[in-house]
Amino acid sequence: MGKLLIIGSVAFDAIETPFGKTDKILGGAGTYIGLSASQFDIESSVVSIVGEDFPDPYLQMLRDRNIDTSGIEIVKGGKTFFWSGKYHNDLNTRDTLVTELNVLADFNPIVPDNYKDAEIVMLGNLHPSIQLSVINQMEKRPKLIVLDTMNFWMDNTLNELIEVIKEVDVITINDEEARQLTGEYSLVRAAQKIHEMGPKYVVIKKGEHGALLFNGDNIFFAPALPLEEVFDPTGAGDTFAGGFTGYIAKTEDISFTNMKNAVIYGSNMASFCVEKFGTQRLENLTKNEIDERLQQFKTLTQFEIELT
Ligand code: AMP
């Protein structure tokens, strides 16, 4: 079993969907990744920053799931990062209403000593120079570095983003972002171009339409589970990344064959995330529910065709 180092925001979110509205609740990419990966009973640590206003019970809830929080800096007198978003009726698109960086504006991540030898590193969506600084603090090259990013960094810090992309093994990105990054409409061509930028593996997420895994000429498709109830897609991408890296950390196998399973685990975890507001569903998830849903994934995709 490998150790998983996670970097990402730990935040307050306020969310509005066609089904309701929340006040400030627990959010942040690091939180979703950590909660999702913790289902794999691995050693993991979240590196992040919060303000003095961040309730200790939230940190305790992460610790109760065996997540090391010693890398979450608490800034005296500081305010925690706050993000607010409103989803449109299709739930695939959203408007960001508020982004208050607060303590995240001066975030200088410090990797805990006992995680400088982590085998797997998950770089959640943050400024690319922050992501690079984490890579540079590692004692030796991790077995696998996974990077998540978004269009905001392509618009504002493209050169730094290209620098960090060179250093990673896997990039997870959504379809529109892959197109923006490469200027290619075809996702196959976009993946080829991203390979040329560095990553051997490219995961392109397509929301409710699943995810594609590319590794050279190998392509694999993981569906998203058709769900009866979708309340809040916030954090689905991060939860996917947590499932993906949690499974890889548990198995320590970075072959394409195993990565296909990791993508399925990612989709599986994300399917739970969207069923309730915020982190609620992930906080109350059982192993049985995860296994039952994996079976549904198998049933959904298995078919027998005899080629004549
Ligand atoms: P996702 O739905 O996968 O895009 O992730 C949503 C989470 O990302 C929310 O919980 C936010 O707190 C967090 N988030 C939104 N914007 C940023 C940002 N600029 N930097 C870091 N985290 C962010």
Side-chain angles (χ1 to χ4, degrees), residues 105-145:
D106 301 310
F107 182 31
N108 186 10
I110 298 178
V111 176
D113 282 343
N114 56 336
Y115 273 83
K116 286 189 172 153
D117 61 351
E119 288 82 4
I120 314 294
V121 175
M122 176 65 228
L123 304 168
N125 171 35
L126 281 171
H127 193 297
S129 6
I130 296 180
Q131 296 175 317
L132 199 58
S133 136
V134 168
I135 299 178
N136 290 336
Q137 289 176 54
M138 302 307 285
E139 263 162 20
K140 58 176 180 58
R141 176 67 166 76
K143 215 167 164 176
L144 199 77
I145 306 178

Side-chain angles (χ1 to χ4, degrees), residues 89 151 205 209 281 295:
N89 276 344
N151 51 0
K205 297 170 287 180
H209 306 297
R281 188 69 173 99
Q295 186 53 51

Side-chain angles (χ1 to χ4, degrees), residues 9 11-13 27-29 32 81 83 87 94 99 101 104 125-126 148 150 152-153 233-238:
S9 52
F12 290 130
D13 287 351
Y32 283 103
F81 172 68
W83 176 81
Y87 287 84
R94 72 182 177 205
T99 302
L101 286 177
L104 204 60
N125 171 35
L126 281 171
D148 188 28
M150 68 185 293
F152 179 80
W153 308 115
T234 307
D238 310 313

